[in-house]
Amino acid sequence: MFGKRLLVAGATAVLIAGLGACGGGGGGGSRGVDPGDVTDVGQSSAGTVQEPPPSPDTVSGLRDSVRHLAAKTTRATRPHLVRKCTSATRQVRHTQRTGTGTHRTTRTWYTTERYQSCKKVRSGTETYTRTIRPQRWCVSLDNVDGDTARDDLWYQVTPATYGKARDADEHARMEFTPTGTGC
């Protein structure tokens, strides 16, 4: 009797889920699309499809100038660590049980085990090259996003975008996704 109820409940759940997914329930949050509501969004009067709007991270403007800043490094010192090992020993306990019942005996003996104990210890200092400022490629734009008041804005870009900007003519229209602002 219990198995039959479980089977009916399972079939009912599958039927309700199927109707809900197809939008046949009517009372759910899904709505059918009225064909009269569809408009010619994204098409111009000539009937051609317009390009999607650029990503919000993308900037466009007129190329002003380019700048490459090399990485800035300096010499610095830090503690020099070396691995120092010492030999050591420890006692290891061994037991062996033999017999059963009242004739049970336990034999215990110890052995000496050798091992290496290693630690990193400071031994003077070492010099190394520390990077103060990473390498940057920058492009300056005028008339950013069509706003004539936004001139001479610097953007950090990838080396590939920098190469395109360097080869482009002065005041050529450019569009790219910057990796950062300022330079």
Side-chain angles (χ1 to χ4, degrees):
M1 183 73 176
F2 179 72
K4 192 172 186 181
R5 284 184 186 170
L6 187 60
L7 185 62
V8 171
T12 304
V14 170
L15 182 63
I16 290 172
L19 288 174
C22 293
S30 61
R31 238 182 52 196
V33 177
D34 182 13
D37 288 345
V38 178
T39 60
D40 291 337
V41 175
Q43 295 188 358
S44 67
S45 60
T48 60
V49 177
Q50 293 178 349
E51 291 184 20
S55 166
D57 298 334
T58 303
V59 295
S60 64
L62 304 177
R63 177 200 177 275
D64 187 23
S65 59
V66 294
R67 179 185 301 166
H68 174 250
L69 298 174
K72 192 173 189 181
T73 60
T74 186
R75 302 289 291 166
T77 60
R78 62 184 170 205
H80 180 68
L81 300 176
V82 294
R83 187 172 179 213
K84 184 177 180 184
C85 297
T86 58
S87 296
T89 60
R90 62 179 158 233
Q91 293 289 320
V92 180
R93 180 181 173 178
H94 306 278
T95 57
Q96 181 182 23
R97 299 183 197 280
T98 59
T100 59
T102 58
H103 298 290
R104 186 172 186 95
T105 58
T106 302
R107 190 179 83 131
T108 303
W109 72 95
Y110 295 89
T111 58
T112 302
E113 182 179 273
R114 296 183 183 277
Y115 67 97
Q116 290 280 321
S117 174
C118 297
K119 297 177 184 175
K120 287 202 171 200
V121 295
R122 183 175 174 170
S123 174
T125 59
E126 63 185 7
T127 59
Y128 71 102
T129 303
R130 183 167 61 98
T131 302
I132 297 172
R133 179 189 68 208
Q135 185 169 215
R136 288 190 221 151
W137 297 271
C138 305
V139 175
S140 173
L141 294 180
D142 287 338
N143 198 9
V144 176
D145 293 330
D147 186 359
T148 56
R150 295 177 65 195
D151 285 346
D152 297 324
L153 293 181
W154 284 97
Y155 295 99
Q156 294 177 27
V157 295
T158 62
T161 304
Y162 171 80
K164 289 177 187 175
R166 186 188 60 219
D167 296 340
D169 294 331
E170 186 79 19
H171 298 293
R173 176 147 301 278
M174 293 199 66
E175 185 173 326
F176 55 83
T177 302
T179 59
T181 57
C183 193

